[in-house]
Amino acid sequence: MTTIVSESTQPERTNLLGLSREGMEAFFLSIGEKKFRAAQLMKWIHHEGCDDFSAMTNLSKALRERLEEVAEIRGPGVVYEGTSSDGTRKWVLEVEDGSYVETVLIPAENGKRRTLCVSSQVGCSLDCSFCSTGKQGFQRNLTAAEIIGQVWVAQRSSGPQKDTANRAVTNVVMMGMGEPLMNYDNVLPAMKLMLDDNGYGLSKRRVTLSTSGVVPMIDKLGDDIDVSLAISLHAATDELRTELVPINRKYNIRALLDACHRYLAKCGDARLITIEYTLIKDINDQQEHAEQLAALLEELPSKINLIPFNPFPHSGYEKPSRNQTMRFQQWLYDLGLNATIRSTRGDDIDAACGQLVGRVKDRTKRNARYIQSIQLDAD
Ligand code: SAH
Ligand code: SF4
């Protein structure tokens, strides 16, 4: 009789990519090694972009062999990589179950910043009425390795992060697919790695979490980590906000603003909350809306980011004209508020931030056509 050893009887190797410093230290203690190994490993993984234990020459051969047996460094597979005419780069990544996740690196016009837009979930359960991710429904949470893996892939694509001046990624915004505060346990270690000197060493002002307003988790975030916070407000009355952002029914605008104040009180410095406001034609782009918004934000240290609605098929909404967008900005300005308009970058590779489309892989022609279509878009 032959014995069949199924894959599931093999002990699973720990993927070190998603471990924060605490996680990495706990891992080394668990295999009978000293804690200081954590920093060494993190530098290899995140500074050097290395996924091969045998190349880690400052570790003993015995330890490298041990790591080979019990651990791995497994990043997402790159299915597609493209650069648009304005320099925006996009990756389509394949994660564990064959789902696709997109991540984009958007250069600032002055060349000083390169902002990576990172996804936290495949799909999203919150179903905001103007969001294509929400319309796809929720597939699953990304693991910490899959979240930081997006930064790892982008950083690695331009070689080791030897000196900080030449970093591929200078800023991260959690504004890709998904609601980061609905996947807190994986988002937190990933964001810790973004800040850690042995990880990506980004300052707290350069790492931004965007949320549609999961109030209890905003409080938890403020207890656990210090990063910049962006709130997807989109409306200044509860009636309209509930229509656009259904989670407003559970945590209304007042509750959300109170949470913002509590968050600011925990920050170690004077900080502004970013208020994201997607402008949708005839829905929230009129003068009265600007007046309501100004009244609401009077007491909150904040800056407004206006995002012209990015249309997608069957959304039922339209993009406001450029003139109307600028008028809205002017109304706010006249009311004493500064607002920036988010420029649409990477249009030719369908890579606007907040507009990433992940798709669940099916091994059929439809899938092949999808890959082909994004390649054509980028040419
Ligand atoms: N779930 C988080 C982060 C991801 S969405 C959140 O909602 O904040 C990132 C930003 O893109 C949010 O402000 C979101 O409201 C915005 N967004 C989503 N769909 C959009 C669309 N079709 N046009 C313009 N902005 C959109
Ligand atoms: Fe989810 Fe954010 Fe889209 Fe709302 S806007 S459905 S919270 S990803």
Side-chain angles (χ1 to χ4, degrees):
M1 205 179 87
T2 27
T3 317
I4 297 167
V5 181
S6 77
E7 266 182 51
S8 60
T9 59
Q10 311 247 334
E12 196 153 303
R13 295 192 289 170
T14 306
N15 188 1
L16 304 185
L17 180 61
L19 298 185
S20 65
R21 184 189 294 247
E22 296 99 307
M24 193 72 95
E25 287 176 352
F27 165 78
F28 276 107
L29 291 176
S30 79
I31 62 163
E33 288 286 334
K34 295 267 181 341
K35 271 210 287 195
F36 77 89
R37 297 282 179 208
Q40 283 182 312
L41 247 291
M42 287 169 70
K43 283 183 191 155
W44 277 112
I45 299 173
H46 303 291
H47 292 189
E48 301 294 328
C50 179
D51 58 0
D52 176 7
F53 294 120
S54 67
M56 300 182 179
T57 43
N58 59 351
L59 306 181
S60 71
K61 190 148 183 283
L63 177 56
R64 283 185 261 159
E65 283 170 3
R66 183 79 209 284
L67 287 172
E68 211 72 74
E69 276 164 33
V70 298
E72 61 184 341
I73 299 159
R74 187 159 32 89
V78 179
V79 175
Y80 166 77
E81 185 179 344
T83 304
S84 90
S85 48
D86 65 12
T88 300
R89 296 174 72 187
K90 167 166 152 173
W91 292 264
V92 178
L93 305 174
E94 181 173 1
V95 291
E96 296 289 278
D97 59 355
S99 298
Y100 289 150
V101 171
E102 296 179 16
T103 186
V104 289
L105 185 64
I106 307 164
E109 264 146 27
N110 62 14
K112 284 200 179 138
R113 270 178 286 118
R114 284 171 299 280
T115 303
L116 191 72
C117 184
V118 167
S119 299
S120 57
Q121 299 181 308
V122 184
C124 182
S125 61
L126 297 186
D127 199 22
C128 298
S129 61
F130 56 89
C131 172
S132 62
T133 304
K135 293 294 145 211
Q136 290 179 61
F138 174 68
Q139 314 284 345
R140 73 172 175 90
N141 283 329
L142 293 180
T143 63
E146 289 165 344
I147 298 169
I148 202 65
Q150 297 166 58
V151 187
W152 186 73
V153 165
Q155 181 60 59
R156 203 173 182 233
S157 70
S158 63
Q161 175 191 322
K162 285 248 162 35
D163 69 284
T164 48
N166 291 321
R167 278 183 180 153
V169 179
T170 64
N171 294 58
V172 174
V173 289
M174 298 296 302
M175 292 184 190
M177 290 204 305
E179 167 50 54
L181 293 186
M182 296 294 278
N183 182 18
Y184 191 77
D185 291 348
N186 291 307
V187 166
L188 184 66
M191 292 187 88
K192 283 186 173 170
L193 282 171
M194 295 169 199
L195 301 180
D196 199 306
D197 281 343
N198 294 319
Y200 297 88
L202 300 175
S203 84
K204 56 195 177 185
R205 287 170 183 267
R206 289 170 174 266
V207 176
T208 302
L209 181 138
S210 171
T211 178
S212 58
V214 190
V215 165
M217 300 314 287
I218 294 176
D219 287 324
K220 180 127 183 53
L221 185 76
D223 292 338
D224 293 344
I225 197 168
D226 187 358
V227 290
S228 299
L229 185 63
I231 299 288
S232 292
L233 191 66
H234 311 310
T237 64
D238 279 320
E239 196 190 356
L240 181 56
R241 188 162 194 270
T242 299
E243 204 179 290
L244 300 175
V245 186
I247 200 177
N248 191 67
R249 206 170 284 128
K250 200 160 178 191
Y251 308 112
N252 66 17
I253 293 177
R254 188 65 263 156
L256 184 53
L257 294 184
D258 288 348
C260 289
H261 281 289
R262 290 193 296 274
Y263 190 85
L264 286 177
K266 286 177 201 165
C267 293
D269 53 4
R271 190 87 61 86
L272 301 177
I273 301 243
T274 301
I275 298 292
E276 291 165 280
Y277 192 97
T278 294
L279 270 177
I280 311 174
K281 186 179 175 197
D282 296 335
I283 302 285
N284 64 356
D285 65 345
Q286 302 298 305
Q287 189 162 11
E288 57 167 327
H289 300 119
E291 286 164 2
Q292 290 161 350
L293 186 61
L296 194 67
L297 296 181
E298 205 174 23
E299 32 131 10
L300 184 74
S302 55
K303 53 183 179 195
I304 302 171
N305 194 209
L306 300 173
I307 317 170
F309 170 67
N310 199 343
F312 56 93
H314 315 295
S315 71
Y317 293 125
E318 286 174 61
K319 186 181 177 150
S321 67
R322 177 81 194 150
N323 272 349
Q324 184 66 9
T325 303
M326 289 173 70
R327 227 174 300 169
F328 197 87
Q329 183 187 34
Q330 185 65 41
W331 287 325
L332 290 175
Y333 188 75
D334 292 343
L335 291 160
L337 293 183
N338 258 327
T340 51
I341 299 174
R342 187 177 300 171
S343 62
T344 325
R345 315 291 312 276
D347 263 0
D348 52 341
I349 52 168
D350 194 11
C353 201
Q355 279 303 283
L356 307 185
V357 182
R359 287 155 216 231
V360 179
K361 184 169 184 172
D362 55 16
R363 296 185 184 275
T364 62
K365 290 215 181 80
R366 191 157 65 91
N367 182 43
R369 277 202 302 272
Y370 166 58
I371 299 287
Q372 212 173 31
S373 73
I374 39 186
Q375 279 166 344
L376 287 176
D377 282 350
D379 290 340

